[in-house]
Amino acid sequence: MHLFYGDTTSFDQSPVKGSTLSDADENAIKRYRHLREKVNPMAEELLLADEELLQSLGCVNKDNPHELNMAGLLLFGSGKSLRRTYPMLRVDYIRVPGNSWVSNPDDRFTTIDMRGPLILMLYRLVDAINADLPKGFLLEEGIQAVSVGLPLKALREAIVNALMHRSYREHRPTQIIRYDNRIEIINPGYSIKSEDKLGMPGSETRNPFIAAVFHDTNLAETKGSGIRAMRRLMEQAHLVLPTFESSREHNEFTVRMLLHHFMNEDDLLWLSHFSAEKMNDAQKQALVFIREVGAIDNQTYRQMADCDILKASTDLRFLKNVHLIESKGRGKATYYIAGVRMKPVHLSASEICRGNTHGEDQNTHGEDQNTHGEKSVNLETLLLEIPTDLRVSLLNNKNKKQSLEDIQDNIIAVCAIRPMKSEELATLFHKRVDYFRKKYLTPLIVEKKIRYLYPEMIKHPDQAYTTP
């Protein structure tokens, strides 16, 4: 609304009622002075007293210079004052065993809650995560062993971006989740910059005063080059480029960084079946991605290949023309799956077992194809998978008006049996698929009461919902 009313005040300039300058952490101010001096020893603000320094950085209330604003509290406020005023504005570092969110209830995750001035907490976060990452080495030209792993600078840039660009209007923590094969940073607040322009020159930020401090101390890349720097560092380490997902609907931004080398020996051996085709590295990665995940769309390909829409469309069209992939859906909903040439060497024994584990066989789902080629769901077959008491509840409430809470509880119970597609759930609850997804499934996803089976690709053709 501030656009309509001409209000140019950013949220990080909001005063924090009840705060005082004594809430600032002296160590945080000292850290700023040290970092700023390294960048510019002649900076004028270094000559100021602490109170005047905070004022020059835009960290105090303009109407009351003895009171901190949001930028001052977040950048320099002590952990005690942050807990007192905004207890949910913290960062949770979560270590999850395996590659999925708490799939085994007996194998719980471990978490470290971090709270304190951003300029100090950044280092604690990077050190904690880096100490937990696997290290390895790469033999280049058979001579020299070079240490590889997730580049420290790429990790730092991802964390800086999260702290600098998150929405502090949202009273929920930033989550950094460490799986065995990847790191996910889930940040409150969608990207102000469109996903198509991520990595391009030009920066847009919702917290300009916080961003200015990070830039002045050289903690963050300037001119919107942070994402491009992350991609370059990951590529130099022979790792898959990071992927980014912005959701206005859920009001969050997710960064995923894979920790393993994408093109390993098995991948190269498999790709040798298609050596007759002159494919670039991005196209080869796309085939491996389809083999592992099952599908790919234009947006995912653009992030992996670091290219524009036209280049991605051209590369994918080539793969389609040589029958390595085939397209499904239309318009923005278009995605690509294995084509006829991939299928003979596509399935391995382990992948077949994995598919059965996910319940991807159509007969298991009780699904068939109708005359229009669309998937339909056999209600009677589906009900056989539901425990008796839950089945009776669903059947008894078919013609009754249920409360939102009752329907959500039943959805959570059904998704705990096995991953369920939206078509199956809508059939069980006698609703239209689009309405059911918007009215019930999306809110449950936002509240993290259910999760996507394939969070890496929301539009996955076999997308389903599961209860953590």
Side-chain angles (χ1 to χ4, degrees):
M1 294 301 293
H2 71 275
L3 293 174
F4 294 101
Y5 288 96
D7 180 14
T8 58
T9 304
S10 59
F11 183 70
D12 62 358
Q13 289 293 283
S14 303
V16 180
K17 300 299 182 182
S19 66
T20 65
L21 296 183
S22 62
D23 288 323
D25 189 324
E26 292 183 2
N27 292 324
I29 297 176
K30 288 179 181 178
R31 176 61 60 87
Y32 171 82
R33 291 183 180 278
H34 172 70
L35 294 173
R36 183 61 177 147
E37 187 176 9
K38 289 174 64 177
V39 176
N40 182 8
M42 304 301 293
E44 293 181 2
E45 63 268 25
L46 295 176
L47 301 177
L48 302 175
D50 287 352
E51 293 184 7
E52 294 175 320
L53 173 65
L54 293 174
Q55 192 169 0
S56 70
L57 297 177
C59 290
V60 300
N61 182 0
K62 294 179 181 179
D63 298 326
N64 181 4
H66 301 291
E67 187 176 70
L68 293 175
N69 58 22
M70 285 295 295
L73 185 69
L74 292 168
L75 285 166
F76 301 104
S78 65
K80 181 180 178 181
S81 60
L82 282 164
R83 181 185 291 274
R84 184 185 76 245
T85 51
Y86 296 101
M88 295 302 292
L89 297 186
R90 63 175 195 271
V91 179
D92 294 343
Y93 176 50
I94 305 170
R95 181 66 172 89
V96 178
N99 297 336
S100 59
W101 177 262
V102 199
S103 55
N104 183 357
D106 296 324
D107 197 5
R108 300 296 292 176
F109 58 80
T110 57
T111 180
I112 302 174
D113 299 342
M114 293 193 182
R115 186 184 285 106
L118 298 183
I119 204 165
L120 294 180
M121 187 169 60
L122 165 65
Y123 292 92
R124 293 169 52 206
L125 278 168
V126 173
D127 290 343
I129 299 171
N130 189 52
D132 198 28
L133 292 178
K135 303 296 188 297
F137 65 92
L138 178 69
L139 295 177
E140 293 204 352
E141 300 179 359
I143 300 176
Q144 185 178 8
V146 181
S147 175
V148 298
L150 184 64
L152 184 62
K153 288 184 178 179
L155 174 63
R156 191 189 75 173
E157 190 63 37
I159 295 175
V160 167
N161 279 345
L163 300 179
M164 187 168 62
H165 294 300
R166 69 154 285 172
S167 171
Y168 288 101
R169 296 177 186 269
E170 294 283 326
H171 288 266
R172 53 188 170 114
T174 294
Q175 288 188 328
I176 303 177
I177 307 177
R178 161 75 163 90
Y179 295 97
D180 287 349
N181 67 341
R182 68 189 186 279
I183 287 178
E184 290 188 4
I185 302 177
I186 304 174
N187 215 32
Y190 61 85
S191 175
I192 299 178
K193 200 172 185 179
S194 67
E195 291 181 80
D196 293 339
K197 295 182 179 179
L198 289 176
M200 296 177 64
S203 179
E204 296 182 35
T205 178
R206 54 167 51 91
N207 305 304
F209 287 84
I210 294 176
V213 169
F214 277 108
H215 289 150
D216 290 345
T217 53
N218 209 25
L219 291 174
E221 294 279 346
T222 58
K223 301 176 183 176
S225 58
I227 287 179
R228 183 165 291 277
M230 288 171 56
R231 287 171 171 165
R232 184 182 68 252
L233 292 165
M234 296 284 281
E235 185 176 17
Q236 290 173 352
H238 306 278
L239 296 171
V240 185
L241 299 187
T243 60
F244 309 92
E245 179 188 331
S246 178
S247 172
R248 286 178 176 263
E249 185 178 21
H250 300 161
N251 195 25
E252 65 183 24
F253 185 79
T254 302
V255 180
R256 293 186 179 89
M257 308 174 78
L258 296 180
L259 302 177
H260 66 276
H261 293 240
F262 209 94
M263 290 296 182
N264 56 34
E265 185 177 351
D266 291 338
D267 296 330
L268 295 174
L269 178 62
W270 179 76
L271 286 168
S272 66
H273 290 89
F274 319 116
S275 57
E277 307 300 340
K278 302 299 182 182
M279 295 183 290
N280 57 40
D281 289 342
Q283 290 170 321
K284 294 175 182 178
Q285 285 191 354
L287 294 185
V288 177
F289 189 91
I290 292 174
R291 185 186 68 165
E292 295 296 324
V293 180
I296 196 171
D297 57 12
N298 190 286
Q299 177 180 313
T300 304
Y301 185 89
R302 294 199 306 270
Q303 294 185 4
M304 288 174 52
D306 191 15
C307 64
D308 57 24
I309 295 178
L310 181 60
K311 172 64 174 173
S313 299
T314 302
D315 285 359
L316 291 169
R317 189 183 306 114
F318 171 82
L319 296 177
K320 180 181 176 181
N321 290 340
V322 296
H323 307 293
L324 286 172
I325 64 175
E326 58 182 273
S327 61
K328 297 287 184 181
R330 291 183 179 181
K332 292 184 178 180
T334 300
Y335 60 90
Y336 302 87
I337 62 174
V340 292
R341 289 184 59 193
M342 272 185 68
K343 289 175 181 176
V345 291
H346 173 61
L347 292 177
S348 64
S350 62
E351 290 168 324
I352 293 173
C353 292
R354 185 176 62 205
N356 289 337
T357 301
H358 286 168
E360 293 172 359
D361 182 78
Q362 289 187 342
N363 292 330
T364 305
H365 277 184
E367 296 175 356
D368 53 15
Q369 300 291 328
N370 60 25
T371 56
H372 298 286
E374 298 176 350
K375 288 185 177 181
S376 59
V377 180
N378 187 311
L379 177 60
E380 294 182 0
T381 304
L382 189 58
L383 284 171
L384 293 177
E385 301 183 52
I386 309 298
T388 303
D389 54 344
L390 183 55
R391 187 192 316 158
V392 170
S393 174
L394 293 173
L395 292 174
N396 288 342
N397 292 318
K398 177 180 178 181
N399 298 317
K400 294 181 180 180
K401 186 175 181 179
Q402 292 180 277
S403 68
L404 177 64
E405 292 75 14
D406 289 340
I407 295 178
Q408 289 182 331
D409 288 343
N410 283 336
I411 293 172
I412 294 170
V414 170
C415 291
I417 300 169
R418 67 162 173 81
M420 291 282 179
K421 294 185 177 181
S422 56
E423 296 87 353
E424 296 175 310
L425 291 167
T427 300
L428 279 172
F429 290 87
H430 310 283
K431 309 286 186 184
R432 289 186 295 104
V433 177
D434 291 343
Y435 169 80
F436 189 78
R437 190 184 294 119
K438 182 177 181 180
K439 176 72 174 179
Y440 301 105
L441 297 180
T442 297
L444 287 174
I445 286 285
V446 173
E447 296 173 12
K448 301 190 185 317
K449 293 181 179 179
I450 61 175
R451 296 183 67 86
Y452 290 116
L453 181 61
Y454 297 101
E456 302 87 356
M457 182 178 172
I458 304 302
K459 296 179 181 179
H460 195 290
D462 292 322
Q463 188 61 272
Y465 301 84
T466 182
T467 301

